Amino acid sequence: MSMDLGKELRDLAADAAAAARPVDVDRTRSRMHRRRTQVVVARSVGSLVAVGALVTGVVLMDRRAPAEVPPVAPVASPTPTTSFTSGGELCGTPYALHETDARGVEVRGAVVVGTLQRETAAFETGTGSRDTLSVDVGTTADVPTGPSDGLDPSGVTTVLVDPDGTVAFWNDPARLLQVTATDGSGGIAPDGLYDAVDCRTGSPLTGTYRTYATTTTDGTDGETVELAPVSFELGGGTLAGQWPDRVPACGRPAPADLLAGRSDADLDVTLDPSVDLDELQGGVHADATLTATGTGRLMGRVPQTLHALLVDADGTVVSQLYDPTREEFDSGATFDVGPGESFPGEVYQWFASCTAAAGYGDVRPGTYDLYVYAVMLASAGPDLSPAPTLAVGGPFAVTIRGS
C-alpha cells in the first residue's frame, strides 16, 4: 500500500468516526486531491531564505543553510495559572504546560509563518507579508517499528500562547483555510493553513508566542510537548533544516574519520545506558546527552529529534539518515554550552534501507554499528548568525530483529 493511499484511508476512517460532526464529502475529496497534487510542502531553513520555485500549491524547500540567520533568542516563560479547560472554546484561556509522554505516540512538528498566494494557492515562507500560519503538527509511532508514514494531524491540538500565558491562537477546524487558485490552474492550497489572527480580537498576530501541542485537552493522559516558538519578527526561523550533502550516503562506504572516531564533530552524543539496543525493530528511540567538544560556546535550539544511521561489518552505510517524508523540527528548548558542558536530547530514527525510495523498506535483520549523526543550527554567540553544527555519537552495537 502506498504511503499516500494509506494516509488517505486513515483520514477517511477518522472522518467517518467523528460522531461530533458530519462528514464533509466535498472537503474529503478536496483533501485527497490535495495530497495527490502536492509534491513538497513549502518550508524554509530560516525566514530569510527566498522561495524560488512554485509548483501548483507548492513551494520547494531550500535544504541548504542560509547565509544569514538571526541568532536564537530564548523566549521568556509566561506564568500561566491553569491548563486547558475541559472542552469548549480554548481561545483566551490560561495555559499551563504539563509536559507528558504518552505511550504509543510521539507528537512532532512546527507552526510556520508565511503568506498564502491566493492566485496560485501556494504557501510561501521568508517573503512577502506574514499573514498565514501553516500548522504542520501531528503524531507518529512512539517506538519506530516500520517505515515512516509521515505525521498524522488528527487528534492533535496546537496552541500559541502570548507572554501573559493565555491562548491567542489554536488550530480550530472551523477556521481552516481551503483555497483554490484563482488563476485557473486548479491548484489547491496545502493542508493546515490558517489566517494569522488573534482568536480573541481578530487582529493580526504580532511578536513571539510559545507553542504547544497536545493530544488531550480534558486532563486525561496524552502526549503534550512544547514546540519551537512562533515569531512574526522578520528573520524569526522555525525549521532546523536538512543538509543531505553533509551526511554519509546510504549504500556508500562510511567516512574513514567516522569509523576511526576522528570525525570533526562540535558535539559528542552518548545514549542513555538503559536503552536496550539488542531488540530493535525498524528503528531506535532513546534519550541522549550532547556534550560540547570545541573551544568556544555554542548556542541554539534543541532539535526535536537527532538522527542515526547503520553501518554493516564491511563499513557500508545501510540506512538512510533522513526520511524524505519528514521535515526537521526544533523543540522549544534552547542550549548554551561551553567546552565540556552538556544538554539533553532525543534520538528517534526509522531505519529505512537504501532502496526505500522505491518502497520504504526496512533494513534487513542483523547486527550493525549505529552512529548518531545530526546536523543542527548553532551560533558561537548571541550576536552571531547560526551555522550548521555537527553532533556525532557511536559506534553503538545494535541488533535489528525481524518484525
Side-chain angles (χ1 to χ4, degrees):
M1 178 181 297
S2 71
M3 292 174 60
D4 286 341
L5 178 57
K7 188 68 166 66
E8 291 165 10
L9 291 177
R10 288 200 306 275
D11 287 341
L12 288 171
D15 285 339
R21 63 178 185 271
V23 176
D24 188 335
V25 176
D26 290 337
R27 181 180 178 186
T28 301
R29 288 173 178 165
S30 172
R31 288 162 59 186
M32 293 177 66
H33 179 220
R34 186 173 301 155
R35 287 192 172 90
R36 292 191 184 101
T37 57
Q38 289 173 347
V39 180
V40 181
V41 176
R43 292 295 182 265
S44 69
V45 173
S47 297
L48 296 182
V49 177
V51 175
L54 299 181
V55 184
T56 303
V58 175
V59 181
L60 297 180
M61 174 181 174
D62 184 350
R63 299 291 186 184
R64 305 286 181 170
E68 288 292 333
V69 182
V72 173
V75 179
S77 301
T79 307
T81 57
T82 184
S83 61
F84 274 139
T85 56
S86 178
E89 176 64 53
L90 302 178
C91 185
T93 60
Y95 184 88
L97 175 64
H98 299 293
E99 194 161 10
T100 56
D101 184 15
R103 297 186 61 182
V105 298
E106 283 283 292
V107 173
R108 304 199 185 282
V111 179
V112 180
V113 179
T115 186
L116 175 60
Q117 298 292 349
R118 302 279 174 161
E119 183 179 3
T120 60
F123 176 70
E124 297 181 14
T125 60
T127 60
S129 61
R130 301 166 67 79
D131 56 9
T132 307
L133 292 176
S134 173
V135 181
D136 189 9
V137 183
T139 57
T140 189
D142 182 58
V143 179
T145 56
S148 172
D149 199 12
L151 297 175
D152 181 2
S154 62
V156 179
T157 300
T158 304
V159 298
L160 270 57
V161 177
D162 68 13
D164 294 329
T166 57
V167 175
F169 168 90
W170 70 287
N171 59 328
D172 182 357
R175 297 182 173 90
L176 186 66
L177 296 178
Q178 298 187 52
V179 176
T180 300
T182 61
D183 60 3
S185 65
I188 301 175
D191 284 331
L193 299 185
Y194 298 83
D195 286 326
V197 297
D198 192 316
C199 61
R200 301 164 296 185
T201 64
S203 302
L205 293 168
T206 60
T208 300
Y209 300 84
R210 299 188 76 176
T211 307
Y212 307 95
T214 182
T215 59
T216 177
T217 60
D218 59 3
T220 59
D221 292 338
E223 179 93 353
T224 302
V225 298
E226 182 174 3
L227 308 178
V230 172
S231 175
F232 288 84
E233 306 297 332
L234 290 177
T238 38
L239 297 188
Q242 292 183 347
W243 295 271
D245 59 329
R246 290 177 172 264
V247 301
C250 193
R252 302 290 299 276
D257 286 349
L258 178 65
L259 298 180
R262 299 192 302 267
S263 60
D264 188 19
D266 305 283
L267 296 161
D268 178 69
V269 183
T270 57
L271 297 182
D272 185 333
S274 66
V275 176
D276 185 2
L277 299 177
D278 293 328
E279 294 291 337
L280 301 181
Q281 290 186 334
V284 63
H285 185 188
D287 290 333
T289 299
L290 292 82
T291 303
T293 62
T295 58
R297 299 203 69 80
L298 285 176
M299 302 173 60
R301 194 165 294 283
V302 181
Q304 289 179 21
T305 57
L306 302 173
H307 291 289
L309 54 83
L310 298 178
V311 176
D312 66 13
D314 296 328
T316 301
V317 179
V318 297
S319 68
Q320 295 194 48
L321 185 60
Y322 292 122
D323 182 337
T325 67
R326 290 169 50 205
E327 299 290 356
E328 301 310 301
F329 303 111
D330 283 331
S331 71
T334 60
F335 63 87
D336 182 355
V337 292
E341 297 177 342
S342 303
F343 63 94
E346 182 179 272
V347 178
Y348 185 98
Q349 180 67 57
W350 299 89
F351 293 143
S353 71
C354 297
T355 59
Y360 296 92
D362 290 334
V363 170
R364 66 179 183 273
T367 299
Y368 302 92
D369 283 334
L370 179 147
Y371 291 87
V372 178
Y373 201 104
V375 183
M376 64 182 75
L377 285 173
S379 66
D383 299 322
L384 300 176
S385 295
T389 301
L390 183 61
V392 174
F396 306 101
V398 301
T399 301
I400 308 298
R401 304 295 183 185
S403 57

